[in-house]
Amino acid sequence: MTQRNGFYFLVCLIISLMLAFTGVARCQKAAAQPVGRMITLSDFGAEDLAYLSVPVTPPALGIVLVPDAFGLDDFTRLEADRLASQGYLVVALDIYNGRQLSDPGEIANMVANLNAESVMKTVNAGIRLFHESPKFHVDHVLTMGWGTGANYVFQSARENKTLDGAVMFYGPVETNENAIGKFTAPLCAVYPEKDSTVTHENVQAFQHLMKDAGNDCEAWFIDANHGWSNPRSKNFNPAEDKEAWKVALPFIARISTVPVKKLKQEGPSLIDKVKDIFTN
């Protein structure tokens, strides 16, 4: 082999190795994407569908997404995948039983006729999935929702004793002291500054009532209007949506590190009953 031929061989070898490593890097990048698929929640107390997005790494926390008035649309599935790419196990609920809506009048009619008990059954089924599924069990579960869905996230934080936290974007502002009570989970609420129905006075009153009741609650304002997150909304504001996530993501990270809840068991445990049989 001449010196020139040897030089060309070396150059070709380097180029081949670079292409090979580039191919490996691309494959690794592709493999790093979360895996999403539709599932049913029939094993966990509801017959509804949901979109499950699974991270490639062991999940730090499970998130139950409750969609806005548009239902389980492309935006909600993309948000599920985005959160899963950050290491969270995510299930996005279908509150319309498979129906895809686009007409504003039809959407308004569906929202007005939603059965709160039925939706909460679906939300609780999503929470149970992460607590009871052998394959998808996680130690911490959080609910998150926008607009219409945020109403049910609010209710889950107030009622579900197995929940570890809740995040709501442009959700309800409760100022009725009798409707507050003791919440079972910390709540992070992000409100729209430009929504005339959500005033600073109301949010401050809500925060005071939550604090007086001994609840863990943080509330923030974003310089946007109701519906800032979803591209299908006339008020979509991607810049402010990024600001909202700067609030939500640290809260989610905090919840993932809290001690695992140990619920008080009603009556003697199965182990105690077995002990009684042998001792008696």
Side-chain angles (χ1 to χ4, degrees), residues 112-149:
N113 289 284
L114 277 174
N115 183 293
E117 183 178 350
S118 177
V119 176
M120 284 308 302
K121 185 178 180 180
T122 306
V123 173
N124 290 328
I127 296 171
R128 285 182 58 189
L129 165 69
F130 291 143
H131 283 307
E132 300 175 16
S133 169
K135 186 175 182 180
F136 299 112
H137 172 81
V138 290
D139 290 329
H140 298 91
V141 181
L142 179 144
T143 53
M144 173 183 290
W146 302 261
T148 299

Side-chain angles (χ1 to χ4, degrees), residues 8-275:
Y8 285 141
F9 175 79
L10 181 61
V11 170
C12 291
L13 179 62
I14 292 173
I15 293 173
S16 299
L17 289 173
M18 290 177 65
L19 290 173
F21 282 123
T22 301
V24 171
R26 285 176 179 172
C27 290
Q28 289 177 338
K29 185 177 181 181
Q33 298 302 311
V35 179
R37 65 178 185 272
M38 294 300 296
I39 63 169
T40 63
L41 298 170
S42 54
D43 289 339
F44 306 100
E47 297 302 320
D48 302 272
L49 297 171
Y51 176 77
L52 180 69
S53 191
V54 182
V56 297
T57 56
L61 176 141
I63 300 177
V64 179
L65 292 185
V66 192
D68 199 354
F70 297 108
L72 183 56
D73 56 1
D74 290 340
F75 160 76
T76 310
R77 283 188 286 266
L78 285 172
E79 290 293 82
D81 289 341
R82 188 166 70 87
L83 286 164
S85 69
Q86 297 181 43
Y88 302 114
L89 184 60
V90 187
V91 62
L93 306 178
D94 184 356
I95 60 176
Y96 292 152
N97 296 314
R99 293 186 63 181
Q100 296 293 315
L101 305 179
S102 57
D103 179 76
E106 188 179 12
I107 291 174
N109 183 60
M110 284 292 291
V111 171
N113 289 284
L114 277 174
N115 183 293
E117 183 178 350
S118 177
V119 176
M120 284 308 302
K121 185 178 180 180
T122 306
V123 173
N124 290 328
I127 296 171
R128 285 182 58 189
L129 165 69
F130 291 143
H131 283 307
E132 300 175 16
S133 169
K135 186 175 182 180
F136 299 112
H137 172 81
V138 290
D139 290 329
H140 298 91
V141 181
L142 179 144
T143 53
M144 173 183 290
W146 302 261
T148 299
N151 290 288
Y152 304 105
V153 168
F154 182 86
Q155 188 172 343
S156 69
R158 183 169 53 191
E159 299 175 357
N160 194 304
K161 295 181 181 180
T162 69
L163 198 63
D164 297 288
V167 177
M168 59 182 195
F169 296 138
Y170 35 96
V173 182
E174 183 59 70
T175 57
N176 182 353
E177 182 177 1
N178 297 325
I180 296 293
K182 180 62 178 174
F183 276 47
T184 64
L187 177 68
C188 175
V190 189
Y191 295 106
E193 180 82 43
K194 296 179 180 178
D195 187 342
S196 60
T197 63
V198 181
T199 66
H200 280 264
E201 291 75 16
N202 284 343
V203 172
Q204 287 175 350
F206 169 60
Q207 282 186 290
H208 286 308
L209 289 174
M210 290 288 282
K211 182 178 180 180
D212 291 343
N215 296 321
D216 182 345
C217 175
E218 52 181 79
W220 304 81
F221 274 99
I222 295 298
D223 188 23
N225 212 323
H226 185 102
W228 71 68
S229 288
N230 198 319
R232 295 174 64 183
S233 169
K234 63 180 181 180
N235 296 320
F236 177 52
N237 190 327
E240 290 302 319
D241 188 47
K242 289 182 180 179
E243 295 301 313
W245 281 104
K246 289 179 182 178
V247 171
L249 290 176
F251 177 84
I252 296 172
R254 173 169 76 88
I255 296 302
S256 69
T257 63
V258 300
V260 178
K261 282 186 177 180
K262 296 188 180 298
L263 300 179
K264 182 179 179 181
Q265 189 168 352
E266 298 296 334
S269 67
L270 180 61
I271 294 177
D272 291 332
K273 291 179 180 179
V274 172
K275 286 182 178 178

